[in-house]
């Protein structure tokens, strides 16, 4: 085993991936920055309530793209390069088909969904203005996010980062122009998000079909679709989990603090989600290597990659915890928060930041299971957190600690999931 080579590959794959996921997480932050200053707390609350719908669209792209990329690298590790290329074409075909289904289904159901999520009055109206455009651009969202994991698994991690950076730049420019110059309100943030994903899609397509000379093919193999979805469902859940937590948290914020608490949590989520994305970047960055070595049955290399990644993700979480604590007093002014929402922010941000100490390792374990095709175990952890542990704490802790219980639920969930993982694998001997 060449440890120097492995360390170089880990850094080469992880650093661009971490920054790619940071930029992905910053799309929502950028919307919050501009909307908070241009529209105020009502706009922040509207985006926060509507975000689960947008997150489903993104999660579908990430789930299918990740499922296909894992299967692609695993096939290459087994020496089945021809099958790997078929997997790639099937993944792209499936991404487009899923995008069209989402466009139709959400186009008819979004008013009822927004009402169910708690949107009322002005918040509802602004949420409608935002989400209509997001749904209309679903094909760019799904295809753009789905291409990124495929780029990483085709040894284009740096290029994936560049495409994300270009998209983020477009998002920022359009947000400024449309909200402050043209002044079309919250719609400007949605247009910026869709345009950004369109740019990502164009660049990704050029890299694969132009630079790598891959021919565009439509593939539809039911068995392979099943394999992609089986692997991708865990990545889908991993991507969607924060937004499901967001949904329940919004409901509790409305109950214990009204729209001001929702606006406060919107800003907290603008900090927490990008940090979580970067922590997950270690798992996503090492996934191609872990999938390849798992397929090739090179267990020593696989264990080494897992060890280094685990150390890196714990260290990164501690660094982000310290940084957020140091800068938290400046955050409300940056986002243009009003006094009512600022009253909740100090405690909420400090408690939420504690989750960084546990989140990275908990999420990396899931990436490892997924990369090594232990899909059932990965799904148990992801959906156990999303459907059982997180909702239980979000509804229990506020009953005891009021508004502070909402903030406690995030680090509490991640700590419990880390403990569950360790107990589970101790029992199974893994």
């Amino acid at each position: 085993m060449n440890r120097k080579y492995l360390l170089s590959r880990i850094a080469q794959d992880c650093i661009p991936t971490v920054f790619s996921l940071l930029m992905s997480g910053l799309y929502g932050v950028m919307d919050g920055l501009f909307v908070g200053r241009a529209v105020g707390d009502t706009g922040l609350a509207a985006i926060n309530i509507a975000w689960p719908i947008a997150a489903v669209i993104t999660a579908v792209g990430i789930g299918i793209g990740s499922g296909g990329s894992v299967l692609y690298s695993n096939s290459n590790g087994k020496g089945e390069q021809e099958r790997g290329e078929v997997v790639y074409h099937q993944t792209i075909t499936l991404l487009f088909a899923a995008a069209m289904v989402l466009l139709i289904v959400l186009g008819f159901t979004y008013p009822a969904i927004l009402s169910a999520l708690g949107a009322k009055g002005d918040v509802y109206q602004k949420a409608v203005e935002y989400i209509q455009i997001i749904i209309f651009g679903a094909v760019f969202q799904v295809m753009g996010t789905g291409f990124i994991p495929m780029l990483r698994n085709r040894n284009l991690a740096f290029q994936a980062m560049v495409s994300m950076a270009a998209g983020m730049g477009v998002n920022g420019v359009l947000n400024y122009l449309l909200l402050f110059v043209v002044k079309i309100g919250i719609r400007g943030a949605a247009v910026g998000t869709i345009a950004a994903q369109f740019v990502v899609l164009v660049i990704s397509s050029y890299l694969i079909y132009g630079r790598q000379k891959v021919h565009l093919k439509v593939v539809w193999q039911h068995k392979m679709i099943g394999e992609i979805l089986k692997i991708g469902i865990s990545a889908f859940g991993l991507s969607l989990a924060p937004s499901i937590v967001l949904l329940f948290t919004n409901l509790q914020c409305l109950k214990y603090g009204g729209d001001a608490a929702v606006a406060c949590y919107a800003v907290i989520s603008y900090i927490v989600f990008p940090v979580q994305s970067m922590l997950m970047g270690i798992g996503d960055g090492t996934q191609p290597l872990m999938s390849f070595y798992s397929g090739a049955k090179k267990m020593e290399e696989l264990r080494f990659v897992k060890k280094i990644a685990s150390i890196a993700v714990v260290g990164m979480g501690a660094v982000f915890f310290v940084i957020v604590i140091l800068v938290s007093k400046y955050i409300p002014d940056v986002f243009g928060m009003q006094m009512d929402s600022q009253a909740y922010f100090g405690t909420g941000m400090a408690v939420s930041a504690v989750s960084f100490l546990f989140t990275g390792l908990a999420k990396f374990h899931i990436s490892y299971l997924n990369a090594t095709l232990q899909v059932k175990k990965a799904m148990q952890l992801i959906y156990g957190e999303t459907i059982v542990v997180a909702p239980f704490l979000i509804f229990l802790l506020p009953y005891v600690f009021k508004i502070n219980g909402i903030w406690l639920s995030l680090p509490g969930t991640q700590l419990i999931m880390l403990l569950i993982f360790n107990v589970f694998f101790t029992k199974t001997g893994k």
Side-chain angles (χ1 to χ4, degrees), residues 30-243:
M30 191 170 293
D31 286 352
L33 281 169
F34 286 102
V35 170
R37 290 186 172 276
V39 185
D41 279 2
T42 302
L44 287 172
I47 288 183
N48 212 39
I49 286 177
W51 190 252
I53 299 176
V56 167
I57 297 172
T58 301
V60 168
I62 292 173
I64 294 173
S66 297
S69 63
V70 168
L71 195 59
Y72 172 85
S73 289
N74 190 268
S75 297
N76 287 342
K78 294 177 178 177
E80 300 173 355
Q81 282 77 15
E82 185 175 340
R83 181 175 187 268
E85 288 303 310
V86 176
V87 170
Y88 166 77
H89 294 299
Q90 176 62 85
T91 302
I92 302 305
T93 304
L94 188 57
L95 283 168
F96 181 78
M100 298 311 296
V101 171
L102 286 171
L103 174 62
I104 295 169
V105 173
L106 293 177
F108 284 104
T109 60
Y110 75 85
I113 296 173
L114 288 176
S115 296
L117 294 175
K120 298 178 181 178
D122 289 343
V123 171
Y124 174 84
Q125 185 56 45
K126 285 183 168 46
V128 167
E129 294 174 5
Y130 179 80
I131 209 63
Q132 282 178 333
I133 296 172
I134 294 295
I135 293 172
F136 182 75
V139 66
F140 302 129
Q141 293 270 80
V142 173
M143 297 293 289
T145 54
F147 259 107
I148 294 298
M150 294 305 302
L151 288 178
R152 288 197 294 265
N153 282 262
R154 298 182 75 94
N155 298 318
L156 295 171
F158 178 78
Q159 290 85 344
M161 181 187 72
V162 171
S163 70
M164 293 293 292
M168 184 177 173
V170 169
N171 191 25
V173 171
L174 285 178
N175 266 273
Y176 173 76
L177 291 175
L178 296 177
L179 269 74
F180 291 99
V181 179
V182 183
K183 296 183 179 179
I184 64 172
I186 199 170
R187 293 186 184 92
V191 171
T193 298
I194 295 303
Q197 291 300 329
F198 175 74
V199 169
V200 171
L201 174 59
V202 169
I203 294 175
S204 300
S205 299
Y206 168 73
L207 289 170
I208 294 178
Y209 297 109
R211 295 283 295 275
Q212 291 195 342
K213 307 297 183 183
V214 174
H215 296 293
L216 182 62
K217 295 180 182 179
V218 175
V219 174
W220 197 263
Q221 297 183 10
H222 291 91
K223 183 178 180 181
M224 187 171 287
I225 290 173
E227 291 182 80
I228 292 171
L229 294 178
K230 180 181 178 182
I231 300 170
I233 194 170
S234 56
F236 170 84
L238 193 60
S239 173
L240 193 59
S243 296

